[in-house]
Amino acid sequence: MNKKNNVSIKDVAKASGVSITTVSRIINNTGRFSKVTQKKVIQTINDLGYEQNKLAVSLRSNKSNTVGIMVPDITNEFYSAIVKKCEQLLFSNGYSSIICNTERSSEREAAYSQVLMEHRVDGLIIISSAIDDSKVIKTTTIPTVYIDRDPHSHNELIVSSDHYTGGEIATKFILNHQLNPFLIMTKTKTSSTMERVRAFKDVLKEHQITDIESRILSLDLTSDKFLETVPSLDSYLQKIVSLKKPAGIFGINDNVAYMIIRAAQRLNINVPKTISVIGFDGNSFSEISAPKITTIVQNTTKLAQESCRLLLQQMTTQDKDVSPAIIKVPVQLVIKESTVH
Amino acid sequence: MNKKNNVSIKDVAKASGVSITTVSRIINNTGRFSKVTQKKVIQTINDLGYEQNKLAVSLRSNKSNTVGIMVPDITNEFYSAIVKKCEQLLFSNGYSSIICNTERSSEREAAYSQVLMEHRVDGLIIISSAIDDSKVIKTTTIPTVYIDRDPHSHNELIVSSDHYTGGEIATKFILNHQLNPFLIMTKTKTSSTMERVRAFKDVLKEHQITDIESRILSLDLTSDKFLETVPSLDSYLQKIVSLKKPAGIFGINDNVAYMIIRAAQRLNINVPKTISVIGFDGNSFSEISAPKITTIVQNTTKLAQESCRLLLQQMTTQDKDVSPAIIKVPVQLVIKESTVH
DNA sequence: CTGAAAGCGCTAACAC
DNA sequence: GTGTTAGCGCTTTCAG
């Protein structure tokens, strides 16, 4: 019950009375061979149930047809959507994916990185890794595409949503509705987060608002914990309400936006009348929550497409002549029920 | 930029002035070698940045240290939670996972199945595959664990939640609260679904309820589409309400339960006063939805643990002497706001 | 304690 | 059109 299919190309060759080379040629459809032998060989392949051993092919050709995908958390809908689409695109181009869940842990990233190298992956897609990722992977030089990452050198392929513009749109929306602007975020300092924050600050500055830092609350937890109750959030909301001016809160992502709404409801603060909340990502949470969340939607399909396009291009191109690129995918404001009209 | 690390064991051997064999022994810590050579070799390994080529190891040892995980939809939270945990458990036991998203399509399953065989995976975890999976994989004989699958032969390792008991608990809950029982499901006919339905029917029979079939609505869509509006659902709910008796609806999973609640709200039907809704799975949806959904929670951690335990056991055991097993993981009723108290 | 040599399954010159 | 041969990087007898 525990044995693998052991028919090798040699067996096929013997059984069909030709040489190994001929069989190889027929399998890969390279070189020349007669229709007759082809038919014969294909017949025996079927009879014997031969399956090509990719391990041997990879070893020989120094090409594994495998790519690694590093992702912080596959149960996060935003990431899983990207992973799913990448995996499909790569698969239809003949690549298998090894998906690695890093939990934003450097140790896990390092361990996976090692394993992927040992498996001789032909390429790497790294999604929003920890800040210090540069150390982990940088020594190797296989084709790599980053999704959501700060440009470190000028030598990288980076795809990301246009977080800065998204942050601008959200903040301007708040200001245009005469709302008192605030930002609530978590401690996770990814580049995508920081861009959104930067936009928030810039827009406030443009509007001559000075007490910017006091308008930002950074929660001491990750947004996976969005179902928990956080006292600091509650008190911050109460402070906001005490100002007696309708507020507009930019939640750094939909999970945080949801936390804010839930906290407001617990505190009997009306959303959107007293506070408007705007999120980021476009999770299904934003759709499920009551009220539904106004949010900046990221285009996961496009993110996956661009990433795979770049990676495939780089993997197939012989070498060097792929120029580095930073691709920004547009985001879109979708207005729902958590903001004033 | 596009070249792989090419230091081989041969280079290490040459550089440290010993034979390939010795290096191999030191890497794998097999056989005997002196402390002195060990130190010398490890030194050169570091100097040269040698990384073992797993492809070659696998080819030689006929063991890839890779397992395949087939999953219907990785963006589904229930599945992604299982996959994530399996992947972690396997990784900490030295296995890499190739995750395959089948979309419940037989063609995709077949294609992946082929690829996994070619990659010579050592084992397979197949989560809730399509009905006709038996054909796809059955020819091969590598260690396989199924999560949520009908027992087809007596030769399989199957892990699943105790769907039948879960269905019983849900249905009895409805009956015990004097509610008029109904079941709403989707067309997806997986074994897990069918078990829940069977339990519903059995409990109703026990209570001498005869018009069972008319109490079941099967929606003509998959539950991924739970944000859509479905006319047949609306009219069914209206029919239920017209009976003027508080109803208890068993939604076959949390997505469906959510659909029901959303539809009820649209139709101004009070949940839970007019209809109580009980789901299955324990998604975060059940927590996010307003009202929060009473549901039968599956233990994804346990499901993953049991599956990996069986798989690892089967992969490491030399052969045969692993006995088939069907493991039922307990489920738990969690009462929230969508049902009467 | 260490090394030489065979071979895992396959591809790619290079013959014929 | 087909076959011979070398070798990808590694493990594993078998001999010292």
Side-chain angles (χ1 to χ4, degrees), chain A residues 137-187:
Chain A
I137 322 263
K138 220 49 230 176
T139 51
T140 75
T141 47
I142 65 166
T144 303
V145 172
Y146 296 89
I147 297 181
D148 277 341
R149 176 204 223 255
D150 266 341
H152 288 197
S153 79
H154 286 301
N155 220 342
E156 304 169 326
L157 299 177
I158 300 180
V159 176
S160 81
S161 285
D162 191 347
H163 298 286
Y164 187 86
T165 304
E168 272 187 339
I169 294 171
T171 312
K172 285 181 177 164
F173 178 92
I174 291 171
L175 260 24
N176 289 343
H177 286 76
Q178 326 296 338
L179 301 168
N180 203 8
F182 294 94
L183 169 67
I184 297 181
M185 55 189 292
T186 59
K187 295 286 186 204

Side-chain angles (χ1 to χ4, degrees), chain A residues 8-9 21 24 28 50 52-53 57 60:
Chain A
S8 83
I9 196 172
T21 315
S24 171
N28 300 295
Y50 166 77
Q52 192 185 42
N53 186 330
V57 177
R60 183 59 233 245

Side-chain angles (χ1 to χ4, degrees), chain A residues 100-139:
Chain A
C100 308
N101 205 272
T102 65
E103 305 284 326
R104 297 196 190 286
S105 133
S106 305
E107 297 94 65
R108 289 181 61 92
E109 275 190 22
Y112 273 125
S113 182
Q114 171 77 11
V115 168
L116 292 176
M117 289 307 100
E118 290 177 347
H119 277 272
R120 296 299 194 265
V121 292
D122 295 329
L124 229 38
I125 293 182
I126 300 182
I127 307 177
S128 183
S129 73
I131 298 284
D132 48 2
D133 58 351
S134 47
K135 295 155 200 159
V136 179
I137 322 263
K138 220 49 230 176
T139 51

Side-chain angles (χ1 to χ4, degrees), chain A residues 21 36 41 44 46 135 163 170 197 223 233 236 239 280 310 339:
Chain A
T21 315
V36 196
V41 168
T44 39
N46 291 333
K135 295 155 200 159
H163 298 286
V197 174
S223 63
L233 174 57
Y236 196 73
K239 200 190 84 186
F280 208 113
L310 287 177
T339 46

Side-chain angles (χ1 to χ4, degrees), chain A residues 59-76:
Chain A
L59 179 59
R60 183 59 233 245
S61 59
N62 199 29
K63 190 163 179 327
S64 65
N65 281 295
T66 302
V67 316
I69 302 183
M70 293 243 207
V71 55
D73 180 8
I74 203 163
T75 60
N76 176 312

Side-chain angles (χ1 to χ4, degrees), chain B residues 177-232:
Chain B
H177 286 76
Q178 325 297 339
L179 301 169
N180 203 8
F182 294 93
L183 169 67
I184 298 183
M185 56 189 291
T186 58
K187 295 288 186 202
T188 319
K189 299 252 176 307
T190 58
S191 70
S192 50
T193 301
M194 299 322 288
E195 284 295 281
R196 299 173 200 176
V197 173
R198 192 163 67 81
F200 176 82
K201 290 180 179 174
D202 285 356
V203 173
L204 258 54
K205 260 181 236 152
E206 279 169 27
H207 283 71
Q208 334 292 350
I209 299 174
T210 50
D211 58 336
I212 296 180
E213 287 306 328
S214 70
R215 293 175 173 279
I216 299 177
L217 173 66
S218 186
L219 299 172
D220 199 8
L221 77 177
T222 60
S223 63
D224 326 0
K225 310 290 182 206
F226 65 99
L227 291 175
E228 295 177 8
T229 305
V230 191
S232 61

Side-chain angles (χ1 to χ4, degrees), chain B residues 309-329:
Chain B
R309 187 178 60 73
L310 287 177
L311 189 65
L312 287 166
Q313 181 184 321
Q314 203 183 177
M315 289 192 300
T316 48
T317 302
Q318 283 317 351
D319 42 7
K320 43 205 156 207
D321 51 337
V322 179
S323 49
I326 297 185
I327 293 183
K328 291 274 181 219
V329 175

Side-chain angles (χ1 to χ4, degrees), chain B residues 156-174:
Chain B
E156 305 170 325
L157 299 177
I158 300 180
V159 176
S160 80
S161 286
D162 191 347
H163 298 286
Y164 186 85
T165 304
E168 273 187 338
I169 294 172
T171 312
K172 286 180 177 164
F173 178 93
I174 291 171

